Amino acid sequence: MRTQVAIIGAGPSGLLLGALLHKAGIDHVIIERQSPDYVLSRIRAGVLEQVTMDLLDAAGVGARMHREGLPHDGFDLCFDGRRHRIDLHALTGRKVMVYGQTEVTRDLMDARTAAGLGTVYNASDVQLHDFNGTQPRVTFTAKGEAHEVHADFIVGCDGFHGVARASVPTDAMQTFEKVYPFGWLGVLADVPPVHEELIYASDERGFALCSMRSKSRVRYYVQCSLEDKVEQWSDDAFWDELKRRLPAEDAARMVTGPSIEKSIAPLRSFVAEPMRFGRLFLAGDAAHIVPPTGAKGLNLAASDVGLLSHALTDYYRGNAVGIDTYSERALSRIWKAERFSWWFTSLMHRFPDTGAFGRRMQSAELDYLVKSEAAMTAMAENYVGLPLNV
Ligand code: RFL
Ligand code: PHB
């Protein structure tokens, strides 16, 4: 089989890239290791930046997000038993959209089906070949049969544990990594949110986040030990711990209920440079990971494929500048989101070595943050998302 672009991975970055290439009339295939149900079962991101909303609109899949998503003008930072509002809209003129990654993925899958575009699911033994030459290939097995796809380009949208980055010789790539000494225990439950906006809380017992998926479904997190197993956390234990990290009046108001999903995610910062190797490009989690504190992972994945879809469109119109500068332009924005996510994580969590001095530093910075309009503006403009060309 022959195509213009072979995309590895049908997560949000692969599906969005497919939708944008389709709009530009560029032929592509998507090859995914898992089943559609498995991809939809991963409860991950919840907050979309304007850049991501614009790309979903450009791909023609934004309608349900605008109908059902919750636009948020701000969020609350909570410490020393009090909440402080960060007014994103007043500080930056922008908002974010609370709309789950599962719904984004579902909208992209439905649009693919409606457009008659196929995705190869349950592909095994996916291998990339000859991307340093002019005729790259992808081989894989599906439904017991071996397949080969010849393409002009391969794009690795296959996440942190995918095959694309692993296919690059280690001496052609430089990686940067920080692993954090804790995880996030997340719970999804069908109860009304404790507050109409998100609450990020820094407490002596650790970080907590009250997010949501709708007016009747919450996504709440508490910082936990990396040794913790999800089975050790009963629903009651989770609700008790979350309430202890929030102001008394919020804890008292919180509606609890049975969890629909419960999982522990480790926290990591990671960047692979560059993001192009001959005719192979990396995008999204395949190239970089941020801790979820800044809500940047899915948004970075979207901005990568936004840049790449434009670059490939220009290439097929005879202009290769975009693909030649993709890596540099994407990394310039990625590093700023890495910095913001690392900073916000460092500010809000208890680290084993935070100590009394470190705690005072965190308190001083939080107090400064909510009292200085300059500091709040810097935080807000990063949270709503930097422009594509920073
Ligand atoms: P994904 O979603 O990991 O999808 C990669 C796809 O590739 C497939 N795959 C393969 N396919 C073929 N062959 C192989 N060898 C393959 N190996 C893997 C996988 O099955 C999968 O379907 O990467 P993508 O598309 O780059 O998307 C990235 C986002 O999923 C991720 O950055 C976000 O979820 C991060 N994130 C958040 N991002 C935000 O922007 N806002 C948030 O509020 C936010 N909250 C979060 C998050 C991530 C979290 N976790 C669990 C890591 C909250 C959490 C708790
Ligand atoms: C979520 O809703 O899952 C979520 C929201 C904000 C974050 C991280 C996760 O910073």
Side-chain angles (χ1 to χ4, degrees), residues 235-305:
D235 286 359
D236 285 345
F238 175 82
W239 292 114
D240 286 349
E241 188 57 41
L242 177 62
K243 286 181 183 177
R244 290 165 90 166
R245 297 182 189 189
L246 295 173
E249 61 271 26
D250 292 321
R253 209 180 48 249
M254 179 170 282
V255 183
T256 64
S259 63
I260 314 170
E261 194 265 3
K262 200 189 282 158
S263 50
I264 294 179
L267 270 68
R268 182 194 304 272
S269 299
F270 175 87
V271 180
E273 289 185 348
M275 290 167 65
R276 178 189 181 183
F277 308 89
R279 287 180 168 257
L280 168 65
F281 298 94
L282 300 180
D285 280 16
H288 43 78
I289 295 288
V290 284
T293 323
K296 291 282 160 247
L298 171 61
N299 291 300
L300 281 182
S303 53
D304 286 357
V305 301

Side-chain angles (χ1 to χ4, degrees), residues 43-47 98 184 198 200 207 209-213 219-221 291-296 344 383:
I43 311 296
R44 288 182 164 186
V47 178
V98 173
W184 278 19
L198 271 59
Y200 289 85
F207 171 79
L209 168 61
C210 298
S211 182
M212 64 192 76
R213 290 291 175 272
R219 181 65 165 163
Y220 291 158
Y221 299 94
T293 323
K296 291 282 160 247
F344 198 18
Y383 192 86

Side-chain angles (χ1 to χ4, degrees), residues 11-325:
S13 52
L15 290 169
L16 180 57
L17 179 61
L20 293 167
L21 293 181
H22 176 64
K23 284 272 170 205
I26 298 171
D27 189 43
H28 66 277
V29 294
I30 304 185
I31 302 151
E32 164 63 49
R33 185 172 60 173
Q34 304 285 357
S35 69
D37 286 348
Y38 182 92
V39 174
L40 281 173
S41 71
R42 288 184 296 220
I43 311 296
R44 288 182 164 186
V47 178
L48 308 182
E49 298 172 0
Q50 187 65 51
V51 167
T52 306
M53 293 184 246
D54 292 347
L55 286 165
L56 293 171
D57 283 336
V61 297
R64 193 164 70 98
M65 168 190 74
H66 290 295
R67 229 173 29 244
E68 296 177 16
L70 305 172
H72 279 204
D73 285 347
F75 64 83
D76 275 11
L77 272 183
C78 177
F79 55 94
D80 293 339
R82 283 190 54 210
R83 284 201 269 114
H84 306 261
R85 184 156 190 267
I86 306 293
D87 190 333
L88 296 172
H89 192 251
L91 292 162
T92 69
R94 292 184 161 227
K95 301 172 181 221
V96 293
M97 180 72 88
V98 173
Y99 190 64
Q101 177 166 334
T102 314
E103 306 312 317
V104 172
T105 308
R106 196 189 305 277
D107 293 343
L108 286 161
M109 281 179 172
D110 289 350
R112 245 184 123 65
T113 309
L117 298 170
T119 308
V120 180
Y121 283 101
N122 301 306
S124 59
D125 194 23
V126 178
Q127 289 184 35
L128 284 61
H129 311 270
D130 303 332
F131 51 80
N132 261 329
T134 50
Q135 294 180 316
R137 287 176 301 128
V138 180
T139 56
F140 60 93
T141 303
K143 294 192 180 140
E145 275 183 37
H147 296 265
E148 185 170 49
V149 175
H150 294 256
D152 298 335
F153 298 101
I154 304 174
V155 185
C157 292
D158 50 347
F160 184 65
H161 300 287
V163 65
R165 195 182 71 251
S167 306
V168 176
T170 44
D171 60 0
M173 178 188 283
Q174 197 177 0
T175 59
F176 304 84
E177 184 169 39
K178 179 175 175 62
V179 176
Y180 298 83
F182 41 74
W184 278 19
L185 169 67
V187 157
L188 194 68
D190 277 334
V191 293
V194 65
H195 183 57
E196 67 264 24
E197 293 182 334
L198 271 59
I199 304 175
Y200 289 85
S202 169
D203 181 74
E204 285 298 333
R205 300 181 64 84
F207 171 79
L209 168 61
C210 298
S211 182
M212 64 192 76
R213 290 291 175 272
S214 68
K215 296 216 162 123
S216 56
R217 178 169 286 186
V218 297
R219 181 65 165 163
Y220 291 158
Y221 299 94
V222 293
Q223 174 185 350
C224 67
S225 160
L226 278 176
E227 270 88 64
D228 285 6
K229 299 274 167 283
V230 80
E231 307 76 50
Q232 296 165 344
W233 280 92
S234 67
D235 286 359
D236 285 345
F238 175 82
W239 292 114
D240 286 349
E241 188 57 41
L242 177 62
K243 286 181 183 177
R244 290 165 90 166
R245 297 182 189 189
L246 295 173
E249 61 271 26
D250 292 321
R253 209 180 48 249
M254 179 170 282
V255 183
T256 64
S259 63
I260 314 170
E261 194 265 3
K262 200 189 282 158
S263 50
I264 294 179
L267 270 68
R268 182 194 304 272
S269 299
F270 175 87
V271 180
E273 289 185 348
M275 290 167 65
R276 178 189 181 183
F277 308 89
R279 287 180 168 257
L280 168 65
F281 298 94
L282 300 180
D285 280 16
H288 43 78
I289 295 288
V290 284
T293 323
K296 291 282 160 247
L298 171 61
N299 291 300
L300 281 182
S303 53
D304 286 357
V305 301
L307 290 174
L308 193 52
S309 65
H310 278 122
L312 289 167
T313 306
D314 286 349
Y315 172 84
Y316 285 111
R317 291 179 182 150
N319 176 1
V321 174
I323 61 168
D324 290 342
T325 55

